[in-house]
Amino acid sequence: MFLQLERLTKSYSQRTVVDEVTLDIGAGEFVCLLGPSGCGKTTTLRMIGGFVTPDSGRVLIEGADMSRTPANVRPTSTVFQSYALFPHMNAIRNVAYGLRTQRVPRAQAEERAREMLAMVGLDARAGARVETLSGGEQQRLALARSLVVNPKVLLLDEPLSNLDAKLRERMRREIRIIQSRLGITTVHVTHDQEEALGIADRVVVMNEGRIEQVGTPREVYEQPATRFVASFIGRGSFIIDHDGAESFVRPEHVTLGRAGGGIAGTVSHVQFSGPVVTYFVDTAAGTLQCDVPLELDAAHEPGDPVVCQLRSRARLAS
Amino acid sequence: MKRSTHDTDSTAASHEEGRSTWGAPLRAWTETGLQWAMLASLVVFILWPIVAVLRVGLIADGAPTLELIHAALTDSRGLLWNSVFVGVAATALTLFIAVNVALWATRSGSRLSKPLFGLLLLTMISPPFVTALSYVMLFGRRGLITHQLLGLSLNPYGWHGVVLMQGIGFTSLAAILLIGVLRGIDGRLEEASLDLGASRTSTIARVTLPLLVPGIAATSLITFVESLADFGTPIIIGGRFTVLATQAYLNFIGISNLPLAAGMAILLLVPSLIAFLLYRHFMGRLTFYTKGTGTTGEPMGLPRWLLVVTGTVTLLFSAFVTLQYVTIVFGAFATTWGVDFTPTLKHIQGLSSTAFASIGRSIRFAMFTAVVGSMLGMIVSYLLERRRFWGRSGLDFIATLPFMIPGPFLGIGYALAFRDAPLALTGTLAIVLLNMIYRQLPVATKAGAAVLSQADPEIEDAARDLGASEHRVITDVVFPQLKPAFLVGFVNTFTAGMVTIGAIIFLITPGTKVATIELFGAVRGGHIGVAAVLANIIMLVTLAVNVTFSWLMLRRGREERGVFDVPATRAIDQVIQSADGGR
């Protein structure tokens, strides 16, 4: 494994924020740490980057223990949430900075910085002051600055959270394209499940300092391992089966009919959201959410009796 | 858990491992050692002199005693009462004028606001006794106004003059601080008030002034402590009216009664501390309200009646201050002020070589202490702001102490603390310079802290991440961002070095005599012409250096920013806010 986290643990004044996190990440893999704020994902990332020293556990890169290696000699590079661009340097000097600390001669450093700026599409803004750049440009600049030092592991700390929705989606694609082209191992932290599902090879869902589930975006979506993962990612309903066990149903896996086999219930609320119409149906097993594609919508009203058929469901471990 | 505590190991040795050279760990150790030395110096040069005063003033023959305090307290002249009375009265006068001036400067929309701000900046650089000197020249027995114009021969000496001249003398700084606060107030709050149907008058009364309260409180505190510490004005124009600071000085210099001087200095500290505690108590949780994001329109104008009131006060103040400075300029060229106004250059030509030497010393000392002091302030602010170590809040408190301790207290403290080995510095140049540096350290340190608390610590992490050593993080990333704070520290320390006298007058020897001391001598000796020449030179030099330095520092800066704008105000608030050690 390229990057290994072994039972990483960190506490702040008796509050354990990261609790025995173990994770193996392969070379060139793009992994997302996903969870609500306070789940320990950023602290985990900061331990990989060398900004936080773990209380116990190890960080290994290509088998070498990096746990006590300070950030400035660790082969990782972070794109910070705030971008943390040097406000007193222009774009190209920001990018060249990491090379200059490695004593690369100025001319050579600036040449490589320029290539990197071209790669993120910022070559025209090389001489621009940081504060004159737009949010998207600052984001690209931060990415270029991290990539130019050729890190073994790229760390992204909620890099898209300061961008508006449209730009966020575009940057998500761009980051993934650049990452694939360079084949760089990447750990990305986000609380946005759509972002995580859309960008990652594997998603690591975290809660209260622990890993809840590791899997491909499809796996964590379709087979949530725990109640937490199920409720955190996407929408859905928990229902109690005949045997008393709990299972989880995605709204798109429910078919609504006026009669026939299935779970009987009453429509309590209808929500229109464009491509689908969502019905909330009160049944004996619990309230079910049901997405009906717009063209199939039969326009049920609140109070109408309906029957729900479940095409697929996930059994929860706990 | 976002941006958690920074685990920056201050034993920086480990940061360098992985480099194969010998030099790196060695340098890291040296750096760590230096950093600790700087922090330790706060204890030696701030805390220890304070302890020394308390020891001499409160302990006699090895036993604690209140005898000296009692002696100072029961002095028939009512020194403590006089000091507090003058302090309260001068502060009230200063605040009245300053609030009016600040409101007018920020809300009248007049084109004269800019020149007014210039006048305030200019008059902030006021050598001591300039106000007292001009008072004598204008209202003295042979004063231009009272004697020449009105034909009176009054005895102008007494508390009235002291209150009036202190009140006006402290107004410039107070007004600048309040202007900074007013500019920082989010204009949308006033817009919201108008929008909700309030008149301009009630908006001023219910929104603007309440938001200004923290600024008014901080400014009052500064003014009050300044007034307590001022012994020059009462000496010159107080006549038989005398205050604690004056008597502490006379006891120390005149009759060398060190214990009594220490007792008086301690007594002087009491009202300062009470004022400070009151400030903390009432302002504890309040902070300065600063601009939110988003755009605001024009600042709200003043209602007509208020425009007239503030305009009148501002006009009278500006006229009086201008008259003061014009008087000083003319005084340098008048043969004998009050008797013979024939123009002459004899005061300038007759300036003694010792006077010239003292001016040269003033410039060298002020320049040296400004550079060293603001560098030290930046490093201390970085260490206190970004490092976590035991005793951090205690050191933070110590670093702010000189700000609320009257100058004479710290002067006497230095004289008492460094008499004996291992730090026998009495009579040396070092003791003067150290006093100048540490006395002004709070402003530099807190200006630095104000900038750092706004700066994103991730920027420093980013530099580390890109391979920068701790040393490079500071030089490449921290210092460049601290430039405005450095400038505030420099201008403040340089100006103080050029014009203040309160503390160092207890420390100088003939070999370290500076221009302000020479000026003091000339004023007390009644040599008005010479005094005026010296005052003019001090002002010109201070102004020239400050302007040049600001220009050098800011010419590549993005925005034009008044040096004493919001950062300085925030620095001063931070000094006060953090002075109890907790933030």
Side-chain angles (χ1 to χ4, degrees):
Chain A
M1 279 290 125
F2 194 79
L3 169 65
Q4 289 164 284
L5 310 183
E6 279 183 10
R7 311 183 62 157
L8 272 184
T9 300
K10 183 71 188 177
S11 309
Y12 289 112
S13 51
Q14 275 146 37
R15 208 173 67 84
T16 305
V17 288
V18 176
D19 195 0
E20 305 235 334
V21 164
T22 298
L23 186 65
D24 287 345
I25 296 171
E29 201 178 2
F30 196 119
V31 169
C32 264
L33 304 184
L34 173 68
S37 51
C39 74
K41 57 192 191 299
T42 297
T43 306
T44 305
L45 192 82
R46 294 181 69 85
M47 285 194 277
I48 304 173
F51 302 113
V52 171
T53 315
D55 294 339
S56 62
R58 298 197 301 167
V59 175
L60 299 122
I61 296 176
E62 290 186 310
D65 185 2
M66 292 282 162
S67 314
R68 308 280 157 200
T69 308
N72 58 348
V73 285
R74 213 179 267 214
T76 57
S77 188
T78 306
V79 175
F80 294 89
Q81 183 174 16
S82 63
Y83 311 143
L85 296 167
F86 305 127
H88 55 292
M89 299 181 191
N90 62 20
I92 190 151
R93 286 192 55 210
N94 260 283
V95 179
Y97 186 81
L99 297 171
R100 296 288 291 148
T101 64
Q102 294 169 13
R103 292 165 208 271
V104 175
R106 180 179 290 276
Q108 203 182 326
E110 298 214 339
E111 195 191 309
R112 276 170 61 190
R114 209 171 285 279
E115 288 166 14
M116 198 47 80
L117 281 175
M119 179 156 159
V120 298
L122 268 186
D123 32 347
R125 306 298 312 264
R129 292 194 69 98
V130 166
E131 77 273 6
T132 64
L133 299 177
S134 70
E137 287 173 329
Q138 293 193 2
Q139 155 80 91
R140 274 177 248 239
L141 182 59
L143 185 63
R145 184 179 68 174
S146 286
L147 289 174
V148 79
V149 295
N150 233 338
K152 287 184 175 162
V153 180
L154 179 67
L155 304 172
L156 307 173
D157 183 8
E158 308 222 13
L160 305 177
S161 60
N162 292 327
L163 305 177
D164 62 56
K166 278 256 170 1
L167 193 55
R168 200 181 310 157
E169 225 165 276
R170 204 177 90 204
M171 285 310 299
R172 198 194 292 169
R173 273 199 312 277
E174 280 187 27
I175 287 178
R176 190 61 224 243
I177 289 168
I178 290 171
Q179 184 268 346
S180 307
R181 193 186 319 160
L182 297 176
I184 186 167
T185 310
T186 302
V187 182
H188 176 140
V189 157
T190 181
H191 62 266
D192 180 345
Q193 39 123 345
E194 199 187 318
E195 181 177 311
L197 299 182
I199 200 170
D201 294 322
R202 271 196 306 157
V203 176
V204 178
V205 186
M206 291 183 70
N207 182 34
E208 291 180 345
R210 283 191 216 93
I211 292 181
E212 294 271 337
Q213 187 176 4
V214 182
T216 63
R218 239 195 136 97
E219 282 165 4
V220 295
Y221 183 79
E222 293 187 332
Q223 271 106 48
T226 67
R227 201 183 155 87
F228 174 81
V229 176
S231 59
F232 188 74
I233 294 177
R235 292 177 298 126
S237 324
F238 293 99
I239 54 169
I240 310 293
D241 290 338
H242 310 296
D243 54 2
E246 195 172 32
S247 60
F248 182 73
V249 191
R250 292 286 178 200
E252 63 272 25
H253 293 152
V254 183
T255 313
L256 216 56
R258 291 199 190 273
I263 307 171
T266 316
V267 175
S268 65
H269 183 69
V270 188
Q271 217 171 52
F272 175 76
S273 66
V276 296
V277 180
T278 304
Y279 288 90
F280 292 78
V281 181
D282 290 337
T283 72
T287 301
L288 272 175
Q289 276 188 57
C290 164
D291 283 356
V292 179
L294 194 54
E295 67 274 17
L296 301 179
D297 184 31
H300 302 285
E301 300 273 335
D304 287 357
V306 287
V307 174
C308 304
Q309 282 179 338
L310 312 185
R311 297 197 303 276
S312 139
R313 66 172 79 179
R315 286 267 174 162
L316 296 173
S318 55
Chain B
M1 184 86 213
K2 241 162 253 170
R3 194 182 302 148
S4 46
T5 326
H6 287 253
D7 283 30
T8 352
D9 229 0
S10 44
T11 54
S14 64
H15 283 254
E16 298 286 342
E17 73 185 31
R19 296 246 171 106
S20 52
T21 46
W22 261 90
L26 197 67
R27 206 181 56 206
W29 275 109
T30 321
E31 271 168 31
T32 313
L34 276 176
Q35 288 171 358
W36 284 109
M38 277 176 213
L39 293 175
S41 78
L42 298 179
V43 176
V44 178
F45 294 111
I46 295 175
L47 195 59
W48 168 231
I50 295 171
V51 172
V53 177
L54 297 178
R55 227 173 45 154
V56 172
L58 296 175
I59 296 173
D61 303 324
T65 173
L66 288 175
E67 211 171 288
L68 291 162
I69 304 293
H70 189 250
L73 199 57
T74 53
D75 183 289
S76 61
R77 291 160 297 190
L79 296 176
L80 179 62
W81 162 249
N82 285 358
S83 281
V84 173
F85 168 72
V86 168
V88 171
T91 304
L93 181 61
T94 296
L95 258 294
F96 173 74
I97 307 174
V99 169
N100 276 288
V101 170
L103 276 177
W104 192 84
T106 53
R107 298 286 191 273
S108 71
S110 165
R111 275 177 304 150
L112 290 173
S113 304
K114 266 207 160 157
L116 172 67
F117 198 72
L119 182 74
L120 293 174
L121 283 178
L122 194 70
T123 52
M124 232 185 68
I125 307 169
S126 157
F129 332 121
V130 157
T131 47
L133 181 62
S134 62
Y135 183 78
V136 172
M137 292 166 82
L138 291 169
F139 306 111
R141 284 207 174 79
R142 297 213 158 267
L144 185 66
I145 291 178
T146 45
H147 187 67
Q148 308 285 323
L149 293 179
L150 303 174
L152 303 170
S153 192
L154 295 172
N155 177 1
Y157 301 101
W159 64 266
H160 312 86
V162 178
V163 169
L164 181 70
M165 298 319 282
Q166 282 192 349
I168 289 173
F170 299 145
T171 296
S172 300
L173 174 65
I176 285 169
L177 294 176
L178 293 179
I179 287 172
V181 178
L182 276 174
R183 282 191 187 152
I185 290 175
D186 190 337
R188 285 170 304 180
L189 297 173
E190 287 172 348
E191 286 170 4
S193 167
L194 294 174
D195 193 45
L196 293 167
S199 67
R200 288 179 177 193
T201 300
S202 70
T203 298
I204 294 273
R206 292 171 180 212
V207 177
T208 315
L209 288 181
L211 290 173
L212 191 58
V213 164
I216 291 176
T219 314
S220 304
L221 181 58
I222 294 162
T223 310
F224 183 66
V225 176
E226 279 277 294
S227 166
L228 287 180
D230 177 21
F231 61 89
T233 314
I235 273 193
I236 294 163
I237 60 173
R240 287 169 55 188
F241 179 83
T242 184
V243 295
L244 268 176
T246 309
Q247 289 306 314
Y249 165 72
L250 293 174
N251 271 302
F252 189 94
I253 303 288
I255 53 181
S256 286
N257 188 343
L258 264 53
L260 188 57
M264 288 179 166
I266 294 171
L267 215 48
L268 197 54
L269 191 61
V270 174
S272 317
L273 282 184
I274 290 174
F276 174 74
L277 290 175
L278 284 176
Y279 178 92
R280 290 281 329 165
H281 182 71
F282 290 109
M283 295 288 108
R285 290 295 121 214
L286 277 180
T287 44
F288 284 90
Y289 299 89
T290 43
K291 273 202 180 77
T293 50
T295 49
T296 51
E298 305 269 295
M300 184 188 75
L302 295 172
R304 180 168 298 273
W305 70 272
L306 197 55
L307 197 62
V308 171
V309 172
T310 57
T312 309
V313 174
T314 306
L315 183 71
L316 287 175
F317 168 76
S318 311
F320 191 86
V321 170
T322 309
L323 179 66
Q324 262 189 316
Y325 281 77
V326 169
T327 304
I328 301 284
V329 171
F330 278 108
F333 298 100
T335 307
T336 309
W337 188 267
V339 178
D340 178 3
F341 284 102
T342 321
T344 176
L345 290 177
K346 72 167 187 174
H347 302 308
I348 296 175
Q349 287 158 346
L351 217 53
S352 63
S353 57
T354 55
F356 270 116
S358 72
I359 293 167
R361 253 178 240 126
S362 271
I363 299 172
R364 288 199 306 275
F365 293 2
M367 188 70 87
F368 176 80
T369 54
V371 171
V372 174
S374 20
M375 285 297 285
L376 183 66
M378 296 308 102
I379 296 170
V380 167
S381 69
Y382 174 76
L383 295 176
L384 292 179
E385 197 70 19
R386 292 285 198 261
R387 296 286 161 86
R388 297 286 168 262
F389 52 87
W390 185 87
R392 192 197 66 85
S393 58
L395 280 172
D396 198 29
F397 175 69
I398 294 172
T400 58
L401 274 176
F403 193 76
M404 51 183 152
I405 286 176
F409 189 102
L410 211 58
I412 293 173
Y414 267 61
L416 295 174
F418 303 116
R419 281 185 300 188
D420 311 312
L423 275 168
L425 298 172
T426 311
T428 61
L429 171 60
I431 195 172
V432 176
L433 297 179
L434 286 166
N435 185 276
M436 290 165 80
I437 289 172
Y438 284 90
R439 176 139 170 66
Q440 299 303 328
L441 197 63
V443 173
T445 307
K446 289 302 162 178
V451 170
L452 285 174
S453 66
Q454 303 277 304
D456 181 1
E458 283 196 339
I459 291 179
E460 290 144 45
D461 279 346
R464 279 182 199 108
D465 193 38
L466 294 166
S469 62
E470 286 306 298
H471 171 75
R472 282 200 74 156
V473 170
I474 292 178
T475 55
D476 291 357
V477 177
V478 177
F479 278 0
Q481 295 187 81
L482 279 173
K483 228 157 74 169
F486 182 84
L487 185 58
V488 168
F490 179 93
V491 169
N492 175 69
T493 314
F494 183 80
T495 308
M498 286 301 290
V499 308
T500 63
I501 190 167
I504 57 165
I505 199 162
F506 297 94
L507 306 170
I508 49 111
T509 57
T512 52
K513 199 170 176 186
V514 291
T516 41
I517 309 284
E518 193 80 28
L519 171 62
F520 187 51
V523 175
R524 288 202 80 191
H527 309 296
I528 288 183
V530 176
V533 170
L534 284 168
N536 279 307
I537 294 175
I538 292 174
M539 283 189 281
L540 278 177
V541 169
T542 311
L543 191 65
V545 172
N546 283 345
V547 168
T548 313
F549 195 77
S550 305
W551 179 77
L552 283 175
M553 293 283 286
L554 294 180
R555 72 191 148 147
R556 280 155 58 84
R558 284 145 277 174
E559 70 229 79
E560 238 177 83
R561 176 185 278 169
V563 172
F564 298 97
D565 249 19
V566 185
T569 319
R570 295 183 67 112
I572 285 167
D573 178 56
Q574 281 216 354
V575 174
I576 299 165
Q577 289 288 329
S578 68
D580 69 341
R583 221 176 300 174

